[in-house]
Amino acid sequence: MIDEHVYCRRQRSGSVKMTEQREHPQGHSHRHPGRMAWRSWVLLPFLRTVSGNTVPIINSSLFYVPEDLELGQFAFQLEAYDLDNDPLTYQIEGTDAFYFFCGLQSGRVTLRNSLDRELQARLTITARVSDGVNSEVSKKVTIIVEDRNDNVPVFQHLPYDADVPMNTTVHSIIYTVFANDSDTGNASKVSYRIQEVIPDNMNNLQLFYILSNGSLVLNGSLDYAKNTFLPDQDLAQDGGWVWLHNVWTIQNSSPPVPTITDVPNLDPRSPQAYSGSVPGTVTWATVVLTVTAMDQDTGVNDNISYIITNASVPFAINNATGAITVSEPLDREQLPSDEVLLQVTAREEAPRLSTAKRAQASTLVTILVTDVNDNKPRFYNCSLSSCDFSASARNNFTGSIIEHSSTRLPVSNLSIVAYDPDKGINSSFELSLQGPNANAFTVSPTTIVGAGEVQILVQNSSLVDYEISHVMVVQIIANDTGNPTDCCSTATVTIDLIDSNDHIPEFPQSTYSLSVMENSPDGTVISPNITAYDPDSGVLGQITYQLLPENIHNVFTVNATTGALLVHDGRLLDRETRSIYYANLQARDGGGLVGTTVLEITVLDANDMAPVVIGSYFISVEEGQNVSTQIQAIDNDMPDSPNSKLGFLILPGLFSNNFTINGDTGEMHSTEPLDCEALEDEHGQMVVTVMVYDHGEPPLNTTVNVTITVGDLNDNILFLNQSYEFSVFEESPGSFVGEVNATDADRTEINSRISFRLQRDTGSSNFLIRSTRLGPGNYSGQLSVDPEMFLDYDTLQQKFFTLTVLAENTAADNAGDKANVSVTVHILDVNDEPPTILPGSLQDVSVAENGTQQGLIHTLNAFDRDTNHSLLFEELAVACFKGDISAEDVCWDWFVLAPNGSVLVNSSDIDYEVCDRVLLTLRVEDLYTEKGNRYSQNETLRIIIIDVNDNAPVFEAISETFVVVPETSPVELQVATVKATDADTGLRGTITFSIVSVVLVEDNGGSRPFENRFGVSTTPDKGAYIGSIRVASNLDESLKGQYKVTVEAEDGEEPVHRAQTVLSIFTVDQSYRIRLQFLTTVEEVQSNSENIKLALTTVTKAAVYVAGIRGVEDTRDTHADAKAVMEAYFVYSNGTALDVNDLTTLIQSDPVGLATVDLGLAVIGPGEVTKPTKEVELIGIIAGLAAFLLIFILIMTLVLVLTTRSYKRKLNAMKALKVATTFNPATAQQGAGIPGTNQYNAEGANPMLNRPLDPSHDLGFHEDSISVTSMNSLDENTVNAPADDNFEIEQVKMQPTDPTDKEALVAALDMKEPTRTAYLNSTFTTTDL
C-alpha cells in the first residue's frame, strides 16, 4: 500500500547506477551427495537474465520554494539522467510530500497544499527514480520555504485599558502597545502611528502622539466635558516592501478599540417599532428577529432585559439578547390571522438615580406568518358548491360510459373535487392522467387554483372498446409543483364500459384455398374450422353458417353451427372431369349482420396410370469405346405432378456396375470404355435391364432391356499401379531399385507380349530396366542403378529422380497402345558424418552463487550434416577450480547437462568462496550413425561463478597482549593491531575498520567511557586487512587499568556485513617510572641508549620504554659521580610492569646484569634528593644504627619463621609435581606466564599454588616470586622424578620473555621423558625471603 507516495514517469536519457539490496544467508552447507545422473529430464524454471543495465542518477537535492506559491503552481523540477535512455519513473514520498504533487510524464512538481514558512521553514522528502529495469534509486531532497510578507503585526498583551485623570500632565505616557511580526528581515520590523481618535477632529487627533517603541503620550490638557474619549485605534505597520503573490506588500493591524467608562444617570433610549415575517412551518426555536434597546448612559451601558407582555402567542423572547424565537410549531392554516402582534418591554437592570426605579420602554412587534407550500392537493367525492373539505379525502372513484362514445364526452356518475388548502400561488396544482388506459381519456381541467371539479373526458374513442376490455382504469395525478418534498396525490378512477352491437361477423381470410382427393368417401372433412368472429356479447355475437350457391350442395355441405366443410357425394369428385370448385360461405350474427368468404376447392389427382416405354434398345460398339443412349417413356397422370414424374433405374445384374443412368432424364452411359476380353459371352453381348417408375403413391413402374454388342481390339496393356516410388542408398552402383508390373488381357499369345524401356529424361541414364515374363500376359520390369554410376547424396541438388517407364507390344503386327507409368526414385543419405557442437553455444556462462538462479541457464546447440540424425549431449567430466587451484569435487552436483543440450542448475549450494569456475567436458552423440565416428570432438563449457556479498568479515585470533605507556605514547603511535579477512571478492571483500567504543576498566573495578582516545587505519595485507590502532589524543598518565577498545570491521558493498572484536590495551601509570643514574654524560647515554635498553631487556625480560634522558640535579639521592639520568618503564607483554624494587632484585640476581656497569649505570631509584648537611648526616647515622639494630632483631625472628614455612612449601611443591607428571603436556594450560612467577596472567589459577592473578588489577609481583633466581635458596630447587634416582639434571636457561613463552611448569612437562629426566626450575623457589 502506498499512502505517501506520489508517482510520476519521465522519459529522459542519462546514466544510472543502482545496487540491489537483498539478504544473504550467513553460512553455507556444502553437500556432496554424489552427482545426479546427467541424463535427468527434469526441467527447472527459467532464470531471469542478468542485466547489465545501469540505474538512474538524481541530479539535485536542494530546492527553494516561496511560501506564497499558489496551489497548482510549479514548485521545482526533479531531474535524473540514465545512460541507457530508459524511460524514468519519478516518485516522492515522506511526511512532507503531502505538500506537493509530481506530474506523471514531465517530472514537474507542483504545489498541492499551502505552505507556511512560519510553521515549517524546511521540508524534507525522499525522491525515488526507477528506469523500469533496475531497483529504485532514492535521494533525500531538502526544500527551503522562502519567506514572504504574509503576516500582519499582531498586538501582544491585549487589551490595552487605561483610565486617564483630567489632571494628567502633558507628555505623560498613558500606556504602551507592542506588536510582533512573524516574518523575517525588513518585513518583521514594526512601526506605530495613531490611526483614529473619537470624536474625529483635528484638535483631538493632535491630543496624543505615539513613540517608536509603542508608548502612547498625552500631548494636551484633558477636559471630561469636552474630551470624553481616548485614542480609538493605534496602527502597527511592518517594514514591508517584500514580495507577496508577486506584489510588493506592507502589512498592518490595529488593536481592539479601548472603551470609555460612564455612570448610570440617563434613561434608556426607547426601542423602535419592529416588524418581521416567518414561514408558516418554521421549526421550534427559530429566531424571527431581535429587539434592541440602548442605554443612553453610554459609559455605563447597563444590562437590559426583555419580556413579551401579551399572552397566548406562539413566540418567546430571550431575556438578555431580545431575540424573538418561535416557541411552538407554527401552522398558518391553524392561526386565526396571518399577522401576530407582540408587546415587548425593555427594562434596565440598575435603578435610575433619580427615582430608584428600573427604567423601561415598550414597543410593538408585528410578525407576519407567511404561507408555506406545505399541503398537497387532495380529492373529495362531492360537488364543489357543497363540498366539506374537513371530511376525509377519497382515493377511489367509479364511473361508466358506452363504448366508442364521442370525443370530449365525460364519464358518467363521477363527482370529483380537488382541493389544496394553501394560499395564492401555493394552492395552484396541475392535473394529469396515468395508468394503463390513460391514452383513451383526458382530464379537465389541467390546472386548478385552490379547489375545482374534475372530469374524465373521452380522448380516443377507438380505445374505448368493450370487446378489448370491459373495465378501464386511470389515475388522476394532482401535482403541486411548488412542493417538491410532498407534491402529489393520486385518485384511481374505475370506468365500466357498456357494450353495443357494433361488429359484423368477420372471417380471418377473405379467400380459403382448400383441397380434396378425388374419389374421397362421403363425409370426408375438407376443413374442420372455417369460422367467423363477432366480438359482440350475448345473442349479438351468436353466428350461423350457410354454403352458396345451392347447386354446390350436391358435392359439398357445411355444418351450420361449427362451419366445418364436408364431402357430400365423393363419387362426383373426379379430377379428370373437374379439377376445381368455387363457393361462398356466409356467416350471420344474432343481430342480422352478415359476413362472407370465398372457398376455392381443388380436386387432387390420384396415381392410377403406369409409365409406358417408347421403342426398343439394341446397340453395337467397338472395344475401347463408351456407350451412350436415352430411355424414353411417358405417364398419363396429371402433368408436373409426382404421379406423372418419371424416374429411371438400372436393375441389379451381371453388367449393372458397368453403366450409369440419369434418374430424371433416362440417359444411360458406360462407366468406362468397353473391353471385349472382359466379357464371358463369346459374342461379346451385354444385357442391362432398366426400370421406369413414377413418383406417385404408391409408385407404378415398367421395365425394358438394353442389349450392347462389343467388338474386339488389341489394346490391353496395363500397369498394375498408377505410379511407383522406390528408394536406394547413395554410392551403391548396380543396386536393385524396384520392380514394375504390367499385364495384357489380349487372348492371343502374340498380342499379350510386353517389353519395358525407360523414356529418355533427366536422370534416366543413371538407371537400367530389364523385362521378365511372369506368365501369360503378365510381365515385370526390374529397375536397377547403372553399375558405372555413383550417386552422391551430398552433391545432388534434388534428392530424387522421376522416371517414365514405357510398356509396349512390339511382337504383333499391330503394336497397339503403349502404357506408361511414373517411377520416383529417392536417393537415401547414409549417416556417415560426425556431429559438431556449435562454437557460439560454448561461450562462457555466468551464474550467481547461493542458488539465486535456478533452472535453465544455458542451451548448447549441435549440428550434423546428415539428414537423418538424433543428437544427444553427454557430460564426460566436471572440473572445479578456485582461482588456478583445483577445488576437487565440490561442484560436481551443481549443474546437470540434459540430453537436449540444456544446462540446468541442480543445487542451491553454489559457493563462490570454494569454487569460482566450473569446467564441463562434454560431447554430442548421433544415435543414427551408420558408419564412421558417432561422437563429436570433446568440448569444454566454462561456467563462471559470480560472487555475491554473503560473507561477513572475520577477525583473526589475537594471541598477544597490548600495552601502552601514556607518557611515552605520542599521537599517531601504533599501540595495537587487528587482522580480519572477508571471503568475498572485490568491493564486497574490502574491509574498513572503525572504533566503536573505548572504555577504561580501572583497577578499582570501575569503568569510564572515552571518545577519540584511539583511531584506526586500514591497510591491505595479502588477502587480509590489518587495522592499526593508534593513539588519537594525549593519554592521561595517571590512569590505572586497561582500555577496552571495540573495533568494528565492515565490508564495502550492500548488504553490508559487520563484525566486532574487543582489544585489551593495558596502561602503565607514572608510579612505575624508574630513575636510572649513569656515570657518563647525557650525550653518551643518548648515543648508547639502544645498547642500554638491550642490556636491560636481557636482564629483565621486559620491554624498556624511555621517558627521557637529562642531566643530574644535585639532590640527596643522587650519586656523587652521576652525570646523567634516564627515566624509563619496564613493562611485560602481559601488561605488568616492574617497580624499583623488582628491577633492583632482577639486576642483582643475574650476573649478566653486571655488564651494565660498563654502560655506566650507577644508581637505580624512583625519586630525587638533595645533598645532606653534616647535621643531617649525623642524625642519619644515629638513625641508621638504630634501624640496623631493629632490622637485625626482625631478621632473626623472620629466619626462624620462614625456614619452617620454606620446608612446608617444598613438601607441597613435591606433591604438586608428582601430580603434574601424570598429565599429558598437551593438556596443560598454555597461557603466557608472568616472568619470575609461576602464575598465569589471565585465564587461570596457579596449578602449583592454586592462587589466581588478574594482571589488569595487579601490576606487581607475588610475594613468593620476586626474582628470576632465588638469592637465598636453601637448595637448588631440584625435584627428583619419582621413577628413578639415577637421573640427569637439565638446566633451564632464561630466555627473553616472548608472548608465546609457556608457563614454567608447562614448559617442563613438554620437555620431560617419563622415567629418566629431572628438571631444575630456576624461577620456582621455595625459600625466597
Side-chain angles (χ1 to χ4, degrees):
M1 181 180 69
I2 303 176
D3 54 354
E4 295 182 348
H5 293 205
V6 181
Y7 291 97
C8 60
R9 178 179 291 272
R10 185 180 183 189
Q11 186 169 348
R12 293 178 54 90
S13 64
S15 172
V16 180
K17 182 177 181 182
M18 180 171 289
T19 301
E20 183 176 0
Q21 300 184 4
R22 60 170 69 104
E23 293 296 328
H24 297 284
Q26 297 300 319
H28 306 277
S29 175
H30 300 289
R31 296 179 289 109
H32 306 283
R35 301 174 54 207
M36 183 179 290
W38 63 270
R39 297 181 181 271
S40 172
W41 295 95
V42 179
L43 296 179
L44 300 177
F46 288 100
L47 294 175
R48 179 167 63 88
T49 304
V50 177
S51 174
N53 194 289
T54 58
V55 297
I57 294 178
I58 302 173
N59 288 339
S60 302
S61 62
L62 179 64
F63 298 97
Y64 292 88
V65 179
E67 66 173 329
D68 63 339
L69 189 68
E70 298 290 342
L71 297 182
Q73 287 187 344
F74 173 77
F76 55 89
Q77 179 72 48
L78 283 179
E79 292 184 352
Y81 63 95
D82 185 271
L83 291 178
D84 305 299
N85 295 326
D86 295 325
L88 300 182
T89 298
Y90 292 82
Q91 168 189 352
I92 60 175
E93 65 180 22
T95 304
D96 295 337
F98 162 80
Y99 293 97
F100 302 100
F101 175 80
C102 183
L104 293 178
Q105 298 297 331
S106 63
R108 186 172 181 268
V109 179
T110 57
L111 189 65
R112 183 169 65 176
N113 290 287
S114 299
L115 300 175
D116 191 345
R117 186 203 65 82
E118 288 69 35
L119 293 179
Q120 189 171 1
R122 178 189 296 266
L123 305 176
T124 302
I125 64 174
T126 299
R128 295 186 180 274
V129 178
S130 174
D131 58 2
V133 178
N134 301 281
S135 299
E136 290 181 337
V137 175
S138 63
K139 189 173 186 179
K140 292 292 184 182
V141 175
T142 301
I143 298 101
I144 303 300
V145 182
E146 295 180 327
D147 188 32
R148 290 294 185 267
N149 192 10
D150 60 341
N151 290 279
V152 299
V154 178
F155 281 94
Q156 308 295 319
H157 316 301
L158 295 174
Y160 299 116
D161 294 329
D163 294 329
V164 184
M166 289 178 53
N167 57 354
T168 301
T169 60
V170 179
H171 304 303
S172 297
I173 296 176
I174 298 175
Y175 57 77
T176 301
V177 299
F178 173 73
N180 180 57
D181 195 316
S182 299
D183 294 317
T184 60
N186 198 47
S188 65
K189 298 178 180 179
V190 179
S191 60
Y192 305 92
R193 62 184 176 89
I194 298 176
Q195 183 179 14
E196 184 181 9
V197 177
I198 300 174
D200 187 10
N201 57 58
M202 185 57 65
N203 293 331
N204 292 337
L205 186 63
Q206 296 178 355
L207 189 59
F208 301 92
Y209 66 90
I210 192 167
L211 301 178
S212 59
N213 64 352
S215 297
L216 184 67
V217 180
L218 181 65
N219 196 37
S221 299
L222 295 177
D223 187 348
Y224 181 79
K226 297 179 180 180
N227 302 321
T228 57
F229 54 81
L230 283 175
D232 184 60
Q233 282 191 346
D234 297 333
L235 180 66
Q237 176 177 294
D238 61 22
W241 301 113
V242 178
W243 287 106
L244 177 63
H245 304 297
N246 297 324
V247 177
W248 288 102
T249 303
I250 297 176
Q251 302 280 11
N252 56 70
S253 64
S254 300
V257 179
T259 59
I260 301 175
T261 59
D262 198 358
V263 295
N265 57 351
L266 297 176
D267 294 337
R269 181 181 300 169
S270 300
Q272 59 183 342
Y274 292 88
S275 64
S277 62
V278 63
T281 57
V282 73
T283 59
W284 178 81
T286 300
V287 177
V288 180
L289 57 85
T290 300
V291 176
T292 303
M294 296 181 58
D295 186 354
Q296 295 189 72
D297 298 316
T298 57
V300 178
N301 195 18
D302 195 7
N303 294 330
I304 298 177
S305 60
Y306 305 88
I307 60 172
I308 298 176
T309 57
N310 55 330
S312 302
V313 291
F315 298 95
I317 190 169
N318 187 290
N319 181 267
T321 64
I324 298 176
T325 58
V326 178
S327 62
E328 60 185 51
L330 288 180
D331 188 354
R332 186 201 61 79
E333 288 74 19
Q334 302 299 326
L335 293 176
S337 174
D338 293 348
E339 290 186 352
V340 178
L341 298 179
L342 304 178
Q343 184 73 29
V344 178
T345 300
R347 294 179 180 175
E348 293 184 5
E349 182 176 305
R352 297 179 59 180
L353 297 177
S354 59
T355 63
K357 295 183 179 180
R358 297 171 61 186
Q360 67 179 30
S362 298
T363 187
L364 189 63
V365 178
T366 303
I367 299 177
L368 176 63
V369 181
T370 61
D371 182 43
V372 176
N373 194 356
D374 57 344
N375 292 280
K376 64 181 180 180
R378 299 184 182 275
F379 296 95
Y380 297 87
N381 186 14
C382 60
S383 61
L384 182 60
S385 59
S386 61
C387 197
D388 182 9
F389 296 119
S390 62
S392 299
R394 290 278 299 274
N395 294 327
N396 294 285
F397 300 89
T398 302
S400 61
I401 193 170
I402 299 174
E403 65 172 331
H404 301 301
S405 295
S406 301
T407 303
R408 304 297 297 176
L409 187 66
V411 176
S412 304
N413 302 323
L414 282 180
S415 296
I416 304 176
V417 172
Y419 169 66
D420 188 334
D422 292 322
K423 293 181 63 177
I425 190 64
N426 292 336
S427 65
S428 176
F429 57 93
E430 297 178 354
L431 298 177
S432 61
L433 288 186
Q434 291 182 359
N437 305 117
N439 293 334
F441 301 93
T442 184
V443 64
S444 178
T446 57
T447 301
I448 294 177
V449 178
E453 292 185 348
V454 181
Q455 289 185 322
I456 304 298
L457 308 179
V458 176
Q459 177 174 275
N460 189 344
S461 61
S462 63
L463 298 179
V464 185
D465 192 342
Y466 179 85
E467 285 72 29
I468 297 176
S469 176
H470 298 345
V471 177
M472 304 183 76
V473 178
V474 296
Q475 284 87 33
I476 305 174
I477 306 301
N479 182 11
D480 187 345
T481 58
N483 185 5
T485 58
D486 189 14
C487 64
C488 305
S489 294
T490 302
T492 301
V493 180
T494 303
I495 304 172
D496 296 325
L497 300 187
I498 302 172
D499 190 21
S500 64
N501 190 16
D502 54 345
H503 295 88
I504 62 174
E506 292 184 1
F507 288 94
Q509 299 175 210
S510 61
T511 301
Y512 288 88
S513 296
L514 308 175
S515 62
V516 61
M517 189 65 66
E518 62 178 331
N519 301 321
S520 294
D522 297 346
T524 300
V525 178
I526 300 173
S527 177
N529 56 355
I530 301 178
T531 57
Y533 173 70
D534 190 335
D536 292 327
S537 60
V539 177
L540 299 177
Q542 294 179 358
I543 300 175
T544 58
Y545 300 93
Q546 184 180 1
L547 193 60
L548 299 175
E550 291 293 336
N551 60 3
I552 200 72
H553 293 176
N554 295 329
V555 184
F556 304 102
T557 186
V558 66
N559 188 302
T561 302
T562 64
L565 183 64
L566 310 172
V567 175
H568 182 263
D569 188 353
R571 294 172 300 172
L572 300 179
L573 293 175
D574 186 0
R575 189 199 64 82
E576 289 73 22
T577 302
R578 185 176 179 179
S579 61
I580 192 169
Y581 294 87
Y582 291 93
N584 290 329
L585 181 60
Q586 186 183 79
R588 184 185 300 272
D589 65 11
L593 299 179
V594 176
T596 60
T597 186
V598 177
L599 303 181
E600 182 184 273
I601 306 170
T602 301
V603 181
L604 302 179
D605 182 35
N607 188 21
D608 54 356
M609 300 296 292
V612 177
V613 179
I614 301 174
S616 60
Y617 301 90
F618 294 92
I619 303 171
S620 297
V621 64
E622 292 294 333
E623 181 183 16
Q625 295 182 357
N626 289 314
V627 173
S628 297
T629 188
Q630 184 175 12
I631 309 301
Q632 296 182 349
I634 61 173
D635 193 313
N636 292 324
D637 285 323
M638 178 180 168
D640 299 327
S641 69
N643 293 336
S644 62
K645 182 179 180 181
L646 299 182
F648 300 88
L649 177 66
I650 296 176
L651 297 179
L654 184 60
F655 304 105
S656 59
N657 293 331
N658 298 97
F659 297 90
T660 61
I661 191 168
N662 189 305
D664 296 327
T665 65
E667 294 181 356
M668 189 175 74
H669 304 278
S670 59
T671 57
E672 59 186 359
L674 301 180
D675 188 0
C676 179
E677 288 74 21
L679 300 177
E680 295 181 0
D681 185 78
E682 61 182 3
H683 300 292
Q685 287 187 346
M686 306 173 69
V687 178
V688 180
T689 300
V690 177
M691 181 179 70
V692 183
Y693 61 93
D694 61 23
H695 290 76
E697 188 62 37
L700 303 178
N701 62 77
T702 301
T703 61
V704 60
N705 290 331
V706 179
T707 303
I708 300 102
T709 302
V710 181
D712 185 32
L713 291 178
N714 184 16
D715 60 350
N716 285 288
I717 295 178
L718 178 66
F719 280 98
L720 298 184
N721 295 330
Q722 293 182 355
S723 64
Y724 292 88
E725 189 169 358
F726 305 116
S727 61
V728 64
F729 287 104
E730 62 175 328
E731 298 181 356
S732 56
S735 298
F736 174 76
V737 177
E739 183 180 72
V740 299
N741 294 284
T743 60
D744 192 335
D746 291 332
R747 296 186 179 184
T748 61
E749 194 273 336
I750 192 66
N751 289 334
S752 63
R753 294 180 183 178
I754 300 175
S755 62
F756 299 95
R757 66 182 177 88
L758 293 175
Q759 180 176 304
R760 290 187 175 274
D761 204 347
T762 303
S764 60
S765 60
N766 296 315
F767 301 92
L768 301 176
I769 191 167
R770 183 170 60 88
S771 302
T772 302
R773 183 176 182 273
L774 302 178
N778 188 5
Y779 288 81
S780 67
Q782 288 80 27
L783 184 65
S784 61
V785 180
D786 191 326
E788 297 182 356
M789 292 295 175
F790 288 85
L791 301 178
D792 188 358
Y793 178 88
D794 298 324
T795 61
L796 292 175
Q797 293 183 353
Q798 289 187 341
K799 310 303 180 184
F800 63 90
F801 294 96
T802 301
L803 308 176
T804 301
V805 179
L806 299 177
E808 57 188 357
N809 189 340
T810 59
D813 295 335
N814 183 8
D817 293 335
K818 297 179 182 179
N820 63 76
V821 69
S822 175
V823 177
T824 301
V825 180
H826 295 275
I827 307 303
L828 301 180
D829 184 24
V830 176
N831 194 332
D832 55 356
E833 297 289 340
T836 58
I837 300 176
L838 296 179
S841 64
L842 292 173
Q843 299 297 323
D844 290 351
V845 180
S846 297
V847 177
E849 65 172 328
N850 296 335
T852 55
Q853 294 177 242
Q854 292 292 328
L856 180 68
I857 59 171
H858 187 63
T859 300
L860 295 168
N861 297 315
F863 170 74
D864 195 321
R865 295 178 59 187
D866 297 319
T867 56
N868 185 25
H869 58 264
S870 177
L871 303 183
L872 294 178
F873 286 87
E874 179 182 4
E875 179 184 307
L876 301 178
V878 180
C880 312
F881 292 92
K882 177 60 179 176
D884 295 330
I885 301 174
S886 173
E888 299 181 353
D889 60 349
V890 69
C891 67
W892 281 11
D893 63 340
W894 288 2
F895 304 98
V896 170
L897 174 61
N900 64 352
S902 297
V903 181
L904 309 172
V905 174
N906 187 49
S907 174
S908 60
D909 297 331
I910 300 175
D911 191 351
Y912 173 87
E913 283 69 38
V914 299
C915 174
D916 60 3
R917 181 162 46 95
V918 179
L919 299 183
L920 298 183
T921 303
L922 51 94
R923 67 183 179 184
V924 65
E925 176 187 4
D926 184 359
L927 298 180
Y928 292 167
T929 299
E930 300 176 46
K931 63 180 181 179
N933 188 5
R934 64 191 304 117
Y935 297 101
S936 68
Q937 293 183 353
N938 293 346
E939 302 289 353
T940 299
L941 176 65
R942 186 168 66 171
I943 302 176
I944 305 301
I945 308 301
I946 299 175
D947 187 23
V948 297
N949 191 12
D950 59 342
N951 289 280
V954 177
F955 281 95
E956 293 187 0
I958 300 173
S959 60
E960 57 182 315
T961 303
F962 302 110
V963 181
V964 61
V965 179
E967 186 177 4
T968 63
S969 300
V971 176
E972 293 300 323
L973 175 69
Q974 177 177 315
V975 296
T977 59
V978 293
K979 191 173 184 180
T981 59
D982 193 315
D984 294 318
T985 60
L987 188 60
R988 296 173 292 273
T990 301
I991 295 176
T992 302
F993 295 100
S994 62
I995 301 289
V996 177
S997 65
V998 176
V999 177
L1000 176 67
V1001 179
E1002 298 178 330
D1003 290 347
N1004 57 12
S1007 60
R1008 295 168 58 186
F1010 288 94
E1011 293 184 358
N1012 303 322
R1013 284 300 176 97
F1014 298 97
V1016 62
S1017 60
T1018 305
T1019 305
D1021 180 36
K1022 299 179 181 180
Y1025 288 85
I1026 295 177
S1028 299
I1029 313 301
R1030 301 179 184 275
V1031 177
S1033 61
N1034 293 326
L1035 302 178
D1036 191 343
E1037 304 170 3
S1038 64
L1039 297 178
K1040 298 181 180 181
Q1042 55 178 311
Y1043 290 101
K1044 296 292 185 178
V1045 181
T1046 302
V1047 182
E1048 181 177 83
E1050 176 183 293
D1051 58 23
E1053 185 175 284
E1054 295 292 341
V1056 175
H1057 298 280
R1058 299 177 177 87
Q1060 292 184 353
T1061 186
V1062 179
L1063 300 179
S1064 295
I1065 301 178
F1066 296 92
T1067 178
V1068 179
D1069 62 278
Q1070 288 182 328
S1071 63
Y1072 291 93
R1073 183 169 57 183
I1074 300 175
R1075 189 166 181 264
L1076 305 176
Q1077 299 182 30
F1078 291 87
L1079 302 177
T1080 56
T1081 64
V1082 174
E1083 291 76 10
E1084 291 175 332
V1085 173
Q1086 289 178 342
S1087 62
N1088 201 25
S1089 61
E1090 293 301 323
N1091 293 330
I1092 296 173
K1093 290 170 61 177
L1094 179 60
L1096 294 174
T1097 299
T1098 302
V1099 173
T1100 62
K1101 309 301 185 295
V1104 180
Y1105 295 87
V1106 177
I1109 301 175
R1110 55 185 175 80
V1112 174
E1113 297 178 1
D1114 189 11
T1115 57
R1116 187 168 52 188
D1117 63 342
T1118 302
H1119 191 275
D1121 298 326
K1123 298 179 181 179
V1125 174
M1126 172 187 289
E1127 293 185 345
Y1129 294 86
F1130 294 82
V1131 182
Y1132 290 102
S1133 60
N1134 61 1
T1136 60
L1138 298 178
D1139 56 15
V1140 175
N1141 297 329
D1142 298 333
L1143 179 61
T1144 302
T1145 303
L1146 289 176
I1147 291 177
Q1148 293 176 353
S1149 63
D1150 189 356
V1152 179
L1154 299 178
T1156 58
V1157 176
D1158 298 335
L1159 301 177
L1161 178 62
V1163 177
I1164 301 174
E1168 297 180 350
V1169 296
T1170 58
K1171 280 189 175 182
T1173 61
K1174 292 182 178 181
E1175 292 80 6
V1176 173
E1177 289 180 353
L1178 181 60
I1179 296 173
I1181 292 172
I1182 297 173
L1185 293 175
F1188 173 79
L1189 180 60
L1190 179 62
I1191 292 173
F1192 178 79
I1193 297 172
L1194 291 175
I1195 288 175
M1196 294 306 295
T1197 305
L1198 287 173
V1199 166
L1200 296 176
V1201 175
L1202 295 180
T1203 300
T1204 305
R1205 181 182 177 188
S1206 175
Y1207 280 98
K1208 290 182 180 179
R1209 290 174 56 202
K1210 182 175 181 180
L1211 293 176
N1212 291 335
M1214 287 288 292
K1215 294 179 181 178
L1217 182 59
K1218 290 179 181 180
V1219 175
T1221 55
T1222 63
F1223 287 92
N1224 188 337
T1227 62
Q1229 187 165 353
Q1230 300 298 316
I1234 299 176
T1237 74
N1238 56 0
Q1239 294 179 331
Y1240 286 100
N1241 65 338
E1243 279 87 7
N1246 191 321
M1248 301 297 291
L1249 302 179
N1250 196 22
R1251 296 287 299 276
L1253 178 64
D1254 187 348
S1256 64
H1257 298 153
D1258 184 6
L1259 295 179
F1261 295 100
H1262 193 273
E1263 59 179 357
D1264 294 332
S1265 304
I1266 60 173
S1267 63
V1268 176
T1269 303
S1270 176
M1271 299 175 61
N1272 300 289
S1273 299
L1274 298 180
D1275 54 26
E1276 294 183 359
N1277 196 21
T1278 302
V1279 182
N1280 294 338
D1284 194 352
D1285 293 336
N1286 299 322
F1287 59 89
E1288 182 180 322
I1289 299 177
E1290 296 181 1
Q1291 178 69 34
V1292 180
K1293 297 183 178 180
M1294 294 299 299
Q1295 298 294 336
T1297 302
D1298 187 85
T1300 60
D1301 284 349
K1302 301 178 182 179
E1303 198 272 338
L1305 181 60
V1306 176
L1309 291 175
D1310 286 344
M1311 300 172 57
K1312 79 179 184 69
E1313 294 180 4
T1315 60
R1316 303 296 301 172
T1317 307
Y1319 304 90
L1320 176 63
N1321 186 347
S1322 59
T1323 63
F1324 178 70
T1325 66
T1326 59
T1327 59
D1328 294 335
L1329 296 181

